[in-house]
Every structure is written in C-alpha cells, then in structure tokens.
Amino acid sequence: MIKFDVEATDTFGGIPNYSWTKRAVIEVPDNAKQARIVRAARAAVGSGGRCVTYDLGDSYQVEISSKQTVIFITPQEAAA
C-alpha cells in the first residue's frame, strides 16, 4: 500500500490562496492508477465536481474550477 498526503485549498485568480485548507492521508494499493488515487483524494477532502488533473511527475494537482479549489496529492516518503 502507498500513502499520499492530500491538501485541498481555495484559489483566488487561479492561484492557491490558503485562506482555508483541508488535509488528509490516503492509502491506496501499490498498483493504483492515477484515476483511483485522485478519486480517493477527492473523497477524503469531500470535493466533488468536474476537475482537471495534472501529473507533475512526483505528485498530482487537481483543479476544480466550479468550486475554485485545488488539491495537491503527494506521496509520503518511505520510512527508512
């Protein structure tokens, strides 16, 4: 299982604003695809609506323009 840190915040002019935030940790199977990870993250912070997901290489950014919200999904570092 892989754990991800999830952080949702509002946007102002398309830029993260951080006037409020919701944070969560999700756990998905090792073989989970992007769609499964994004669904789990959105459910964890209670965010619905159409979205656009950007794969940033080591993390995901999910923009929900109808709610002026952005979600950042970052894998947790493995404990040594």
Side-chain angles (χ1 to χ4, degrees), residues 1 3-4 13 19-20 26 29 35 44 60 63 71 76 79:
M1 298 292 273
K3 289 186 178 185
F4 289 87
S19 67
W20 61 263
I26 60 169
Y60 298 108
E63 295 181 359
I71 302 170
Q76 288 186 346

Side-chain angles (χ1 to χ4, degrees), residues 51-78:
C51 68
V52 176
T53 302
Y54 299 97
D55 185 344
L56 305 176
D58 61 345
S59 62
Y60 298 108
Q61 179 176 329
V62 181
E63 295 181 359
I64 305 167
S65 59
S66 64
K67 294 190 176 187
Q68 298 176 344
T69 304
V70 64
I71 302 170
F72 299 103
I73 307 167
T74 310
Q76 288 186 346
E77 296 295 321

